[in-house]
């Protein structure tokens, strides 16, 4: 059978046997090498009978010395099907025997090693046309992949192991030839070339991209059409900004609908706050219950921005409740943020089930709510539409509070009191259940996203505690994740870091520190951001394409270096770095920065025109170039007071600079006045007359 996918010829066909094997009893006294790791996901597999090893130079050297194929199994702590495959296959003695005798077995936490995940995900996508987790690849002793897929049953996995082992022993030349073709295909995916054409940034071209994008939007339920539905905060943030700057009422209504539907749906934890990773249906009703730091961080930013613009109280509530969730569930006392909560937890019968911690039966609710049950039932849809598995209900709303109050005989004040009482009762009752597992590793890039979320919440809600949280996390990152040579680590656990930072770590940390400067006017954050950017340029930049590799030039254990450009649930490292180059170019009057930023944008513009939803963060940079983008410099002793007033407005197309004393920052030079605080509004190198009142400056921005 020959099947061409992505230019790669598939030459292996694997058949599934139907034999059944009994699952082994796990001897908890026997451990493998993963017992020495810090990742909770890897530690979960430390007691498997499979002789798992971590991805490192020693393991790769061992594979070459023994001439064995490598099993590379990638997953993450909150992944439901990763746990299923572990239970079915990796805890089974018979499967483990085949793996241990014939392979070097490597377990990878995709969140710790996104570089490894990228390469083998590319391989699986080339071979099968799709990907996901768990991700399971078989590779040559030098790491070049020859087979891959996602979840396999025990019978399928056993057959694959036996067939691949036999084929490599009997006909290694055939396997090596295929590996050569596949590796070449991996190297050629996402190749970026320099676009030497002069690009004219204009509103009409961007409008055409957005109009094409609208065809994929679900104007009734919000988000993208079809299911499963991911919140995609970068997309919604861009569309919110675009709708505001271009007075697109239809698009602004779409964003509001999306945010309200998500906030009312089961994807949002109605009792404890915070969002699950995605919904399996079109109406945001049934979530996949894992809660990720990166989702909640970006959604805090999104809802904060939306509240700045609309003053919608629901958006404010979501920000506050989500940050309460982060503070209670995902925050270390040292200011760091944990990675995630698992989707699965144990039922009262001790069975591990997805969503068990979050769902309710009527038998549980009635004695808790007593005479309020009928009102609660109506508000949270305890009916056939909300029923899930085993008579469990997922709390969700179909109306806003205002709309619901029109259907019942109760005052707004009394209802809000009841609502808070319900949430408190159910939260306390829920806390008696066995909690989902917490993945308590600390990742630099995700922490930076959460830092930015706190800054955005501070701006929108004027709550100083949020800014204090952001500063505390920033200080944690500076103290523990930035090395003396100016480079970043990627991870932190048990007071140690072990993995060299990736471009995503630099991108999001630089971006977060710029935002922290704009909130505090403390130039140390800005200078630190610049130093990190200069290090990234030196060690991550591909000088041929003017794009940043995902991995450093000091890292040598991968078969190739990849370049990340597509904006997914998390914006790509290159789009975030391009935006920071643009901003730091303004702050430091450095034309090299701004030129590089625009070259990076030029390199992807053709692809963005074809698929704008995959380049939403890039399109935010396009907006900076096609529409007016203002510098707002505040200089004087009352600069911070003036800044607080500016924060009351949604102004996505401004760059804030400020100082309460003389500053040597190029954008602030010669602007300090001992007696008065002035606001300077500038665009494209031309400044308007300085003003003393914030309202006058805002008028200059909105004209």
């Amino acid at each position: 059978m020959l099947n061409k996918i992505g230019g790669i010829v598939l030459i292996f066909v694997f058949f599934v046997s139907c034999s059944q094997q009994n699952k082994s009893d796990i001897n908890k006294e026997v451990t493998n090498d993963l017992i020495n790791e810090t990742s909770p996901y890897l530690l979960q597999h430390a007691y498997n009978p499979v002789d798992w090893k971590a991805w490192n130079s020693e393991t790769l050297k061992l594979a070459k010395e023994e001439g064995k194929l490598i099993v590379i199994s990638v997953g993450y702590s909150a992944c439901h099907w990763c746990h299923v495959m572990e239970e079915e296959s990796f805890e089974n003695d018979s499967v483990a025997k085949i793996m241990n005798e014939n392979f070097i077995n490597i377990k990878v936490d995709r969140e710790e090693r996104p570089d490894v995940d990228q390469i083998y995900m590319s391989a699986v996508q080339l071979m099968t046309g799709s990907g996901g987790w768990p991700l399971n690849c078989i590779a040559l002793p030098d790491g070049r992949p020859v087979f891959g897929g996602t979840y396999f049953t025990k019978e399928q996995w056993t057959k694959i192991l036996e067939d691949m082992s036999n084929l490599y022993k009997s006909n290694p030349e055939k396997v090596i030839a295929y590996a050569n073709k596949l590796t070449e295909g991996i190297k050629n995916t996402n190749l970026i070339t320099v676009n030497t054409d002069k690009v004219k940034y204009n509103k009409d071209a961007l409008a055409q991209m957005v109009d094409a994008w609208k065809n994929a939007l679900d104007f009734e339920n919000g988000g993208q059409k079809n299911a499963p539905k991911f919140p995609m905060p970068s997309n919604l943030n861009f569309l919110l900004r675009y709708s505001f700057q271009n007075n697109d009422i239809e698009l602004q209504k779409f964003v509001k609908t999306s945010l309200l539907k998500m906030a009312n749906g089961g994807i949002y934890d109605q009792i404890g706050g915070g969002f699950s990773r995605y919904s399996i249906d079109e109406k945001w009703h049934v979530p996949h219950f894992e809660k990720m730091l990166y989702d909640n961080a970006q959604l805090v930013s999104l809802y904060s921005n939306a509240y700045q613009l609309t003053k919608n109280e629901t958006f404010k509530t979501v920000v506050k409740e989500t940050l309460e969730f982060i503070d209670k569930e995902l925050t270390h006392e040292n200011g760091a943020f944990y990675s995630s909560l698992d989707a699965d937890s144990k039922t009262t019968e001790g069975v591990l089930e997805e969503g068990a911690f979050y769902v309710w039966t009527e038998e549980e609710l009635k004695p808790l709510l007593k005479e309020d049950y009928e009102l609660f039932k109506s508000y949270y849809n305890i009916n056939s539409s909300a029923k899930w598995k085993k008579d469990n209900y997922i709390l969700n709303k179909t109306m806003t509070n205002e709309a619901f109050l029109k259907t019942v005989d109760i005052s707004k004040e009394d209802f809000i009191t009841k609502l808070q009482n319900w949430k408190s009762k159910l939260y306390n009752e829920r806390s008696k259940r066995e909690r989902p597992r917490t993945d308590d590793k600390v990742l630099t890039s995700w922490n930076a996203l959460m830092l930015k979320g706190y800054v955005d919440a501070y701006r929108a809600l004027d709550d100083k505690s949020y800014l204090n949280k952001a500063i505390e996390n920033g200080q944690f990152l500076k103290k523990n994740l930035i090395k003396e040579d100016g480079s970043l680590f990627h991870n932190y656990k048990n007071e140690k870091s072990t993995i060299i930072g990736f471009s995503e770590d630099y991108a999001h940390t630089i971006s977060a520190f710029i935002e922290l400067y704009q909130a505090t006017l403390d130039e140390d954050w800005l200078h630190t951001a610049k130093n990190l950017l200069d290090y990234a340029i030196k060690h991550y930049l591909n000088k041929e394409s003017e794009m940043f590799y995902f991995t450093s030039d000091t890292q040598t254990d991968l078969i190739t270096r990849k370049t990340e450009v597509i904006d997914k649930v998390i914006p790509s490292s290159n789009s975030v770095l391009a935006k920071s180059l643009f901003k730091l170019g303004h702050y430091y009057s450095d034309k090299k920065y701004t030129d590089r930023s625009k070259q990076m944008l030029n390199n992807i513009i053709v692809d963005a025109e074809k698929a704008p939803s995959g380049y939403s963060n890039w399109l935010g940079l396009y907006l900076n170039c096609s529409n007016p983008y203002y510098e707002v410099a505040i200089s004087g002793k009352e600069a911070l007071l003036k800044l607080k007033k500016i924060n009351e407005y949604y102004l996505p197309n401004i760059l804030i600079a400020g100082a309460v004393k003389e500053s040597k920052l190029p954008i602030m030079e010669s602007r300090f006045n001992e007696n008065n605080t002035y606001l300077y509004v500038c665009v494209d190198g031309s400044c308007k007359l300085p003003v003393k009142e914030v309202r006058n400056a805002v008028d200059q921005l909105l004209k």
Side-chain angles (χ1 to χ4, degrees):
M1 175 181 175
L2 294 178
N3 183 17
K4 292 187 177 181
I5 299 179
I8 302 296
V9 180
L10 305 187
I11 57 174
F12 302 124
V13 180
F14 299 93
F15 298 95
V16 180
S17 69
C18 297
S19 63
Q20 297 290 326
Q21 298 174 6
N22 294 324
K23 179 181 171 181
S24 67
D25 293 324
I26 304 170
N27 183 353
K28 291 292 184 181
E29 299 303 317
V30 179
T31 61
N32 53 49
D33 287 1
L34 298 185
I35 198 66
N36 300 312
E37 297 301 309
T38 58
S39 158
Y41 177 68
L42 298 186
L43 288 169
Q44 286 169 23
H45 292 77
Y47 297 94
N48 293 169
V50 177
D51 186 18
W52 291 117
K53 300 182 183 302
W55 180 281
N56 54 46
S57 57
E58 292 80 10
T59 302
L60 298 174
K61 181 181 178 183
L62 179 65
K64 290 179 181 177
E65 288 175 349
E66 296 192 4
K68 286 185 175 180
L69 292 174
I70 306 173
V71 168
I72 302 162
S73 182
V74 185
Y76 58 101
S77 186
C79 169
H80 172 73
W81 286 101
C82 299
H83 299 316
V84 173
M85 189 163 177
E86 178 193 14
E87 184 178 338
E88 292 176 346
S89 295
F90 303 145
E91 292 179 355
N92 184 281
D93 283 332
S94 299
V95 175
K97 186 173 187 292
I98 299 171
M99 293 176 69
N100 296 340
E101 289 178 355
N102 298 283
F103 300 88
I104 298 296
N105 303 294
I106 299 178
K107 239 320 165 184
V108 177
D109 181 338
R110 69 171 290 257
E111 296 163 356
E112 270 199 343
R113 295 303 302 257
D115 55 333
V116 177
D117 179 58
Q118 279 184 0
I119 287 172
Y120 294 100
M121 181 63 75
S122 293
V124 168
Q125 288 172 337
L126 284 170
M127 286 186 279
T128 69
S130 63
W133 299 276
L135 182 72
N136 292 287
C137 273
I138 295 175
L140 294 176
D142 61 7
R144 288 179 293 163
V146 294
F147 173 83
T150 54
Y151 165 77
F152 296 104
T153 65
K154 182 183 69 175
E155 291 75 23
Q156 289 172 322
W157 185 237
T158 300
K159 185 65 175 172
I160 288 164
L161 294 169
E162 291 173 340
D163 286 352
M164 282 305 307
S165 177
N166 292 334
L167 182 61
Y168 186 59
K169 290 172 182 175
S170 63
N171 196 348
E173 295 82 8
K174 190 175 185 180
V175 179
I176 292 169
Y178 179 67
N180 290 337
K181 292 179 181 178
L182 184 55
T183 302
E184 193 62 31
I186 295 169
K187 291 179 178 179
N188 289 332
T189 56
N190 300 126
L191 276 183
I192 305 295
T193 57
V194 174
N195 180 6
T196 57
D197 296 339
K198 187 171 179 60
V199 177
K200 284 191 68 175
Y201 305 107
N202 62 78
K203 294 182 180 180
D204 290 340
L206 187 56
Q208 289 178 9
M209 287 186 253
V210 173
D211 285 342
W213 188 351
K214 286 180 179 179
N215 294 324
L217 302 179
D218 184 343
F219 283 85
E220 180 182 355
N221 297 306
Q224 300 284 113
K225 289 179 180 176
N226 303 319
K229 277 196 169 177
F230 292 80
M232 302 303 290
S234 175
N235 288 9
L236 292 173
N237 245 325
F238 166 75
L239 294 173
L240 181 71
R241 178 183 170 185
Y242 179 89
S243 70
F244 170 74
Q245 288 189 237
N246 293 277
N247 197 31
D248 189 328
I249 304 302
E250 178 193 36
L251 199 56
Q252 194 169 126
K253 184 180 178 183
F254 160 77
V255 176
K256 291 179 185 177
T257 297
S258 298
L259 299 187
L260 287 170
K261 293 283 188 178
M262 287 192 294
N264 289 339
I267 192 173
Y268 182 69
D269 183 351
Q270 302 293 333
I271 301 304
F275 290 86
S276 296
R277 194 161 75 92
Y278 65 89
S279 166
I280 66 172
D281 64 293
E282 293 185 351
K283 296 183 178 181
W284 309 102
H285 174 203
V286 181
H288 186 51
F289 288 90
E290 58 195 342
K291 286 181 171 181
M292 313 300 295
L293 178 67
Y294 62 77
D295 282 319
N296 285 281
Q298 294 178 94
L299 286 165
V300 165
S301 292
L302 172 61
Y303 277 86
S304 296
N305 294 339
Y307 177 71
Q308 269 189 319
L309 176 60
T310 66
K311 306 305 179 188
N312 186 302
E313 286 296 316
T314 297
F315 301 160
K316 180 179 180 179
T317 299
V318 167
V319 171
K320 293 176 70 173
E321 290 182 346
T322 301
L323 289 179
E324 286 173 9
F325 154 69
I326 294 295
D327 190 47
K328 291 177 181 177
E329 307 279 357
L330 293 179
T331 302
H332 191 280
E333 61 185 13
N334 63 8
F337 301 115
Y338 300 142
S339 293
S340 65
L341 291 183
D342 205 335
D344 301 343
S345 57
K346 288 186 178 179
T347 64
T348 52
E349 293 80 24
V351 179
L352 200 64
E353 284 187 2
E354 182 183 359
F357 185 73
Y358 300 100
V359 297
W360 301 89
T361 64
E362 287 192 273
E363 288 69 25
E364 291 172 318
L365 292 170
K366 287 178 179 178
L368 285 170
L369 299 165
K370 299 183 172 62
E371 67 275 5
D372 280 349
Y373 176 70
E374 290 301 323
L375 186 64
F376 178 95
K377 176 181 178 180
S378 178
Y379 183 68
Y380 280 120
N381 291 290
I382 307 302
N383 53 43
S384 59
S385 68
K387 203 167 189 177
W388 190 43
K389 300 175 181 176
K390 300 179 180 178
D391 293 326
N392 285 307
Y393 291 87
I394 300 170
L395 303 186
N396 73 103
K397 301 181 291 185
T398 54
M399 288 186 283
T400 63
N401 287 353
E402 292 74 20
F404 179 74
L405 284 169
K406 292 177 181 178
T407 68
V408 293
D409 184 18
I410 187 173
S411 70
K412 181 178 180 180
E413 292 74 19
D414 288 346
F415 177 72
I416 295 301
T417 300
K418 283 185 179 292
L419 183 59
Q420 294 305 319
N421 186 40
W422 296 343
K423 289 184 178 183
S424 178
K425 279 185 178 180
L426 267 62
Y427 184 87
N428 291 334
E429 183 67 22
R430 195 174 76 174
S431 66
K432 299 174 186 176
R433 300 173 177 175
E434 182 159 335
R435 289 172 38 78
R437 288 172 291 196
T438 301
D439 187 336
D440 60 354
K441 67 174 176 289
V442 174
L443 299 176
T444 302
S445 56
W446 295 8
N447 270 247
L449 287 169
M450 193 67 250
L451 188 164
K452 183 179 181 301
Y454 269 106
V455 171
D456 289 332
Y458 161 71
R459 286 197 190 108
L461 275 59
D462 190 26
D463 186 330
K464 188 68 181 293
S465 69
Y466 295 158
L467 181 59
N468 291 338
K469 283 281 188 183
I471 293 171
E472 185 181 13
N473 183 254
Q475 290 169 341
F476 166 81
L477 293 175
K478 285 172 67 174
K479 178 182 177 181
N480 297 287
L481 278 307
I482 300 178
K483 298 166 66 175
E484 290 184 3
D485 65 356
S487 65
L488 277 171
F489 280 116
H490 175 64
N491 68 325
Y492 179 88
K493 181 80 187 294
N494 299 337
E495 299 188 357
K496 68 178 182 179
S497 300
T498 55
I499 299 170
I500 296 170
F502 306 109
S503 61
E504 67 175 13
D505 298 306
Y506 289 86
H508 295 297
T509 303
I510 291 164
S511 174
F513 284 3
I514 291 172
E515 296 304 315
L516 203 44
Y517 163 72
Q518 291 191 94
T520 63
L521 306 185
D522 181 348
E523 291 179 9
D524 185 57
W525 296 114
L526 201 61
H527 298 324
T528 304
K530 184 181 185 300
N531 292 338
L532 288 170
L533 180 62
D534 289 340
Y535 186 93
I537 289 171
K538 182 177 180 180
H539 293 283
Y540 291 78
L541 186 69
N542 179 341
K543 292 181 174 58
E544 292 182 7
S545 69
E546 285 293 316
M547 306 296 271
F548 290 84
Y549 285 120
F550 193 74
T551 52
S552 169
D553 58 6
T554 63
Q555 194 173 333
T556 58
D557 61 351
L558 298 172
I559 60 174
T560 188
R561 295 174 79 186
K562 300 287 288 180
T563 303
E564 181 190 48
V565 296
I566 298 175
D567 296 324
K568 300 177 183 176
V569 173
I570 300 176
S572 68
S573 52
N574 271 283
S575 70
V576 178
L577 284 165
K579 274 189 172 180
S580 292
L581 279 161
F582 182 86
K583 292 177 180 179
L584 290 172
H586 282 264
Y587 282 124
Y588 290 95
S589 299
D590 191 328
K591 193 171 182 297
K592 289 182 180 178
Y593 281 175
T594 51
D595 286 349
R596 175 161 283 149
S597 171
K598 290 180 179 179
Q599 181 60 63
M600 293 171 72
L601 178 59
N602 287 0
N603 290 346
I604 61 87
I605 197 62
V606 173
D607 291 328
E609 289 169 349
K610 296 175 183 175
S613 66
Y615 296 86
S616 57
N617 198 50
W618 288 105
L619 295 183
L621 180 57
Y622 194 107
L623 261 176
N624 293 351
C625 300
S626 64
N627 292 50
Y629 186 82
Y630 297 95
E631 298 170 357
V632 178
I634 317 167
S635 188
K637 294 179 180 179
E638 296 184 349
L640 286 167
L641 289 174
K642 305 284 187 187
L643 178 57
K644 281 189 71 173
K645 292 182 180 179
I646 288 177
N647 288 340
E648 295 174 8
Y649 299 90
Y650 178 66
L651 300 167
N653 57 327
I654 67 170
L655 182 80
I656 293 288
V660 296
K661 59 184 179 180
E662 286 283 0
S663 171
K664 294 182 179 179
L665 191 67
I667 197 173
M668 295 301 301
E669 281 184 334
S670 303
R671 284 180 163 165
F672 184 75
N673 185 301
E674 188 70 35
N675 300 314
N676 293 291
T677 298
Y678 286 101
L679 296 97
Y680 300 81
V681 175
C682 308
V683 61
D684 295 332
S686 174
C687 295
K688 303 176 188 293
L689 287 174
V691 295
K692 295 181 183 179
E693 300 300 323
V694 169
R695 182 65 250 183
N696 294 336
V698 172
D699 287 342
Q700 291 177 342
L701 293 167
L702 297 179
K703 281 183 179 177

